[in-house]
Amino acid sequence: MEIVILAVVIAVVVLGALGGLIVGSRRKKQLPPPPPAAPDITAPPAEPHVGDEAETPREEPRRTIEEVDLPDGSAPVVVEEPPAEAPEIEIPEPTAGRLVRLRTRLSRSQNALGKGLLTLLSREHLDEDTWEEIEDTLLTADVGVQPTQELVERLRERVKVLGTRTPEELRTLLREELLTLVGRDMDRVVKTEPEDRKPGIVMVVGVNGTGKTTTTGKLARVLVADGQSVVLGAADTFRAAAADQLQTWGERVGAHTVRGPEAGDPASVAFDAVKEGKEMGANVVLIDTAGRLHTKTGLMDELGKVKRVVEKHAPVDEVLLVLDATTGQNGLVQARVFSEVVDITGIVLTKLDGTAKGGIVVAVQRELGVPVKLIGLGEGADDLAPFEPEAFVDALIGE
């Protein structure tokens, strides 16, 4: 029995010793390697100064803190910013006789009508074929069917009575008949100065792309040139950058611009513009209205709403319809739609210096029964002119 106990004890001791050896060997394997010896760090050579090349740096004198001038702290250093430059105010060209001064430009693009008629009327024998050519010339110039027939009938009667026809007599005859057709007695004054109140209120309507916003800005220049103070209402809130464009025009002549948020309520902007115009004592408020497609019923309703809201302040004195003269007879469709929504009181024909034909003046007046009051003859800031029938007809028939 004792031998068995002794054997067990020996076995336990041997197992314990073996276990200790195994644990010790594992611990030795898990010990991290000793850290590497720190490398010798050699200081980098000093960088050369500008123009010194790679040479040993020279010792430079150093100043002590007593030798350095420090601010005394008596007053803070104020950095003055340059004042913002106000936009330079331009002095627009006087409007009196502006169309006469632009007559040369108008003549270059428009007198094909007058010269064509003079050439045909100068023929020795005016037979039916010639009169048909005269009709074609007038129709091609966008005069319109009814006005063309009336003019040809009057010309036939007067030529028959006249008998012999010298060039000067023909020119006088044609000038008189064209003046009658254009309408020399129509009231073409842009009504901006009502007698009983200030300011005068002018709405500018038309399809985008006709030059509506640009025309509003140019009209502001016309009014400023005539000594009137102007407030602009940027009520075309649906077209991107329309308000910025109008404000730029206003700043050039010192006109204040009232604007609202993009895609905001146009009627609200128009209302605020008239309100500020009254408070500022301005002579005229010009309201640039939205003008997407004229076939959009919603836009037409919005236009009527703008006029009704503005008239809570005072009646609208002028509603000017801007038409692109190069669209010819197609522009009459636009004119009809706008005239059904608001009472058009005057027409502005833009782009009359390009491919436009002078007869559109007659056609649109006959269509709407209202006069052409302003015409645009170019891209320049002062190329908007009051319409003067005599100067216009003289440009048509040339010298």
Side-chain angles (χ1 to χ4, degrees):
M1 185 65 180
E2 293 178 355
I3 294 173
V4 175
I5 294 173
L6 181 61
V8 171
V9 172
I10 293 172
V12 171
V13 172
V14 171
L15 290 173
L18 290 173
L21 290 173
I22 293 172
V23 172
S25 64
R26 287 182 178 176
R27 287 180 178 174
K28 287 180 180 180
K29 291 180 181 178
Q30 292 177 353
L31 290 176
D40 294 335
I41 300 176
T42 303
E47 295 183 359
H49 294 278
V50 176
D52 278 349
E53 296 187 354
E55 65 177 15
T56 304
R58 299 184 295 269
E59 291 188 2
E60 296 179 355
R62 299 177 179 274
R63 292 187 296 170
T64 64
I65 191 170
E66 290 81 4
E67 296 173 328
V68 178
D69 294 331
L70 299 176
D72 55 7
S74 58
V77 179
V78 178
V79 179
E80 295 185 1
E81 297 183 359
E85 294 184 3
E88 184 178 352
I89 304 299
E90 300 178 9
I91 301 176
E93 181 183 359
T95 59
R98 182 178 288 185
L99 183 56
V100 175
R101 293 193 297 275
L102 297 172
R103 177 176 165 181
T104 302
R105 184 179 306 165
L106 182 62
S107 299
R108 282 198 301 267
S109 60
Q110 300 300 322
N111 62 12
L113 169 61
K115 287 184 176 180
L117 291 176
L118 284 173
T119 300
L120 291 171
L121 290 171
S122 299
R123 290 182 180 177
E124 186 175 354
H125 300 288
L126 296 179
D127 53 15
E128 288 301 320
D129 291 339
T130 302
W131 287 113
E132 287 183 6
E133 287 185 56
I134 292 174
E135 285 189 4
D136 292 341
T137 301
L138 291 168
L139 291 172
T140 304
D142 287 333
V143 172
V145 176
Q146 187 64 32
T148 292
Q149 292 175 347
E150 294 176 7
L151 178 59
V152 169
E153 188 63 30
R154 291 200 302 268
L155 286 173
R156 293 182 76 148
E157 292 178 2
R158 294 194 62 177
V159 167
K160 185 183 296 185
V161 172
L162 188 63
T164 58
R165 304 180 303 279
T166 65
E168 191 58 38
E169 289 173 333
L170 283 175
R171 185 181 301 277
T172 301
L173 169 64
L174 186 58
R175 185 179 188 275
E176 291 176 357
E177 291 301 331
L178 287 175
L179 275 174
T180 301
L181 198 63
V182 170
R184 69 173 86 195
D185 298 327
M186 301 182 79
D187 182 8
R188 303 183 188 277
V189 177
V190 179
K191 296 177 176 58
T192 58
E193 299 180 89
E195 297 179 358
D196 57 340
R197 59 180 168 80
K198 287 174 63 176
I201 303 172
V202 179
M203 282 180 60
V204 183
V205 303
V207 177
N208 283 345
T210 58
K212 178 174 53 61
T213 300
T214 299
T215 297
T216 306
K218 290 182 178 181
L219 179 56
R221 294 179 65 88
V222 170
L223 296 173
V224 169
D226 289 340
Q228 301 190 50
S229 57
V230 178
V231 170
L232 297 171
D236 186 357
T237 59
F238 298 122
R239 184 170 69 87
D244 293 335
Q245 182 183 358
L246 188 64
Q247 184 169 350
T248 299
W249 277 101
E251 289 174 349
R252 293 169 67 179
V253 293
H256 176 62
T257 302
V258 178
R259 54 188 297 176
E262 188 173 337
D265 183 12
S268 175
V269 176
F271 183 87
D272 291 342
V274 177
K275 179 181 177 182
E276 291 194 30
K278 293 173 69 174
E279 293 172 351
M280 296 172 63
N283 298 110
V284 188
V285 175
L286 298 179
I287 302 172
D288 177 32
T289 61
R292 288 179 292 182
L293 296 178
H294 63 280
T295 54
K296 298 287 186 182
T297 305
L299 175 62
M300 294 294 105
D301 293 342
E302 190 68 42
L303 199 58
K305 175 186 173 184
V306 170
K307 188 171 186 289
R308 291 192 300 273
V309 169
V310 167
E311 288 181 333
K312 292 181 179 180
H313 281 296
V316 175
D317 300 288
E318 284 276 7
V319 179
L320 298 177
L321 172 63
V322 180
L323 291 177
D324 182 343
T326 62
T327 60
Q329 295 290 318
N330 292 332
L332 300 183
V333 178
Q334 301 173 9
R336 292 189 200 102
V337 176
F338 277 97
S339 64
E340 292 171 0
V341 180
V342 288
D343 295 326
I344 305 297
T345 60
I347 302 159
V348 183
L349 278 177
T350 63
K351 308 178 186 179
L352 200 56
D353 62 325
T355 59
K357 298 161 186 175
I360 190 63
V361 172
V362 176
V364 73
Q365 287 183 157
R366 187 66 64 92
E367 176 68 30
L368 297 182
V370 296
V372 172
K373 295 191 172 184
L374 297 162
I375 57 175
L377 296 171
E379 299 298 327
D382 292 315
D383 287 344
L384 183 71
F387 183 76
E388 301 166 17
E390 290 81 4
F392 182 74
V393 171
D394 287 341
L396 286 181
I397 62 177
E399 296 297 337

